Amino acid sequence: MTTHPHYSFDWRTQYPSVRIPVFARNVVATSQPLAAQAGLRMLARGGSAIDATIAAAAAIMIVEPVSNGLGSDAFAIVWDGERLQGLNASGVAPAAWDPAYFARRHDGAIPQRGWDSVTVPGAIAGWAALHERYGRLPFADLLEPAIELAERGYAVTPVAQQKWVAQAPILENMPGFAQAFLPRGRAPEIGERFSFAQAGRTLRRIAQSGGRDFYEGETAERIAAFAAEHGAAMTLADLRGYVPEWVAPISKAYRGFELHEIPPNGQGIAALMALGILSNFDLPSLPADCAEQRHLQIEAMKAAFADVYRYVADARAMTGVRPEHLLDDGYLAERARLIRRDRATDFAHGTPPAGGTIYLSAADESGMMVSFIQSNYMGFGSGVVVPEAGVSLQNRGFGFSVDPKHPNVVAPGKRPFHTIIPAFLTRDGKPQMSFGVMGGNMQPQGHLQTLLRMVDHHQNPQAACDAPRWKVGRGLSVDVESAMQAEVVAGLRARGHQLESIADPYMDFGSGQFIWRQSDDMADGYIAASDSRRDGCAVGF
């Protein structure tokens, strides 16, 4: 058996940060401290990393409601000790949805918010599927911290409050929103107590039923009745018929490592494509923070996105261009040849050969590692909150197309193009890191940027997380963080990138959580990092 010495990280603090990595044999990293502690409580009871993940996921629905809620979707990649398993718990379109439905109701467009942006939520079914396969503790025990937080309340943290305030005027008139999230006629202040008793009662029913109440019990009936009250398509039959799907992750090799992502309907393939494009350049020879390094990464990401937005959909609908075609080494080399080192390019999609959230990670000392993400999308999702149930619903239906010629065209029971993506890194077939960077289309871009820092430049996970980020926009537009070095910004502008500050108070530059395994035999545990762009932390013992 091949064993590896400790990976040689650079431990200097190179970027502004108030955080240091956490070293422990059992760890949880999330974007909210109370959620991280909920997961850690399960590990301390002898629970598995899956138990910790579910507890943290339930808690974070309560304490970071802008990003996710009981009506979320979810994805996971699990190293179970022998192999990687992927879970797609993203929702499907109601049976009544097709292009004609939206032509009748919305002049041929899919609304960004409201009931007609809501697909069947998958997160709760995802928890149940994960627990059935990998849980050690009783399912009901895992939801105890979330129930306590919902019923007793908690003090709202600074970043969550900032995003809450930004969304309030946009959503205040959506069905059920003000009653649930503006209890005093406004968003809570920083440090103000917020309780969500309705959600607490629903969590109790979910806990007692192993998750089935959400799809066939009182909660399901409340969701369907509220939909009918507003003339929406969601029915009890849509909810009862939902089943998450176990999938095999897709991957791309890079310099001795292999990056794994969930296959489409998600955008994780964009990170793999960009990585494959960049393997045609000698990135390690360039300084980590120079303009040319950033330029090549940006161009590779733009080329990948051009293809992803044209071809990626529910995998069952990708009949012409399959994921393996987009990941073909020869095709990615062709895309690399389109990149000019001295000039930014506005890429069109290519012709492959035929043939958007919270993120958390947990790992335990048995070696199980979990990369998990769930989201309502776009800040409180659809804005719809089911009264007396506390179910805030995602707006993932907005990810569909109404173009009948596009593979992502809306259809009954179909999954839309999805932004949320967990990631996993292996080395010689063995687990190395569970990680993710939440935040709309920033997610594959965050995967790429942080991974290259760790693999090519040996920056430790916290430093790679703290480093200034860029974000590809449309055309030649690129947004950069204010901490990015002035000479790098000037170098990008000289290459034709149109650098601007995009008003994006919810997604901004993402938020990452990273758990790096130190040794094959688990004697040295893990290194964990959490993004300073959110309220969260990494915790362990």
Side-chain angles (χ1 to χ4, degrees), residues 109-461:
I110 298 175
Q112 188 176 88
R113 308 279 190 168
W115 263 113
D116 278 342
S117 68
V118 182
T119 57
V120 178
I124 305 302
W127 297 353
L130 288 166
H131 182 263
E132 181 181 6
R133 185 169 289 194
Y134 297 118
R136 293 182 196 153
L137 300 176
F139 184 80
D141 291 4
L142 310 183
L143 305 194
E144 288 175 0
I147 292 168
E148 180 182 357
L149 289 164
E151 294 179 346
R152 294 188 61 187
Y154 62 93
V156 175
T157 47
V159 177
Q161 193 270 349
Q162 171 195 354
K163 298 180 185 304
W164 203 320
V165 168
Q167 296 301 314
I170 300 170
L171 302 174
E172 60 186 354
N173 294 320
M174 285 294 171
F177 181 83
Q179 176 189 352
F181 293 119
L182 306 177
R184 300 171 182 84
R186 55 168 174 78
E189 302 290 343
I190 295 171
E192 189 172 14
R193 187 173 71 90
F194 175 76
S195 58
F196 202 5
Q198 301 168 10
R201 291 192 292 270
T202 297
L203 280 166
R204 287 187 181 279
R205 293 193 298 272
I206 290 170
Q208 293 161 7
S209 66
R212 291 314 306 167
D213 176 76
F214 191 92
Y215 297 95
E216 55 191 37
E218 179 182 336
T219 302
E221 291 171 356
R222 288 184 181 278
I223 294 170
F226 198 48
E229 181 183 332
H230 290 272
M234 186 81 68
T235 67
L236 197 56
D238 290 321
L239 290 160
R240 285 176 174 166
Y242 179 76
V243 179
E245 181 182 5
W246 289 99
V247 297
I250 55 177
S251 63
K252 199 69 182 172
Y254 183 80
R255 305 193 191 283
F257 293 86
E258 196 158 11
L259 174 63
H260 304 263
E261 302 273 358
I262 294 287
N265 55 312
Q267 64 173 339
I269 194 171
L272 302 180
M273 293 175 68
L275 201 62
I277 291 169
L278 289 170
S279 67
N280 292 277
F281 299 90
D282 185 12
L283 292 189
S285 69
L286 300 172
D289 292 297
C290 73
E292 185 174 6
Q293 173 84 241
R294 303 295 180 85
H295 167 74
L296 292 172
Q297 293 178 28
I298 289 167
E299 295 297 279
M301 200 74 248
K302 286 160 56 180
F305 272 144
D307 281 345
V308 165
Y309 294 149
R310 170 61 183 85
Y311 297 116
V312 170
D314 187 323
R316 296 168 293 181
M318 293 177 65
T319 55
V321 174
R322 301 288 303 161
E324 59 266 27
H325 303 153
L326 293 169
L327 294 173
D328 179 81
D329 287 335
Y331 176 64
L332 296 178
E334 288 180 17
R335 299 297 274 170
R337 284 192 286 272
L338 298 176
I339 295 176
R340 294 190 52 168
R341 300 182 86 114
D342 63 339
R343 183 183 302 174
T345 302
D346 189 0
F347 291 93
H349 68 78
T351 305
T357 304
I358 67 89
Y359 174 83
L360 62 90
S361 186
D364 63 38
E365 59 185 317
S366 76
M368 179 178 285
M369 300 175 70
V370 185
S371 182
F372 181 90
I373 195 162
Q374 68 186 21
S375 170
N376 266 8
Y377 196 34
M378 290 189 179
F380 289 111
S382 65
V384 176
V385 186
V386 180
E388 305 306 319
V391 176
S392 62
L393 294 159
Q394 38 85 330
N395 59 331
R396 288 295 172 180
F398 184 63
F400 277 121
S401 170
V402 292
D403 179 356
K405 297 180 180 179
H406 198 284
N408 190 42
V409 64
V410 63
K414 186 176 180 180
R415 288 184 166 93
F417 176 80
H418 233 282
T419 60
I420 60 174
I421 50 172
F424 204 97
L425 190 70
T426 59
R427 191 181 186 192
D428 296 334
K430 298 175 182 177
Q432 186 66 79
M433 177 172 63
S434 53
F435 74 109
V437 179
M438 64 190 190
N441 76 344
M442 182 64 211
Q443 293 178 63
Q445 304 186 59
H447 291 189
L448 182 73
Q449 293 175 62
T450 54
L451 182 61
L452 290 174
R453 288 181 174 279
M454 285 181 263
V455 171
D456 285 346
H457 302 285
H458 288 228
Q459 291 187 354
N460 74 73

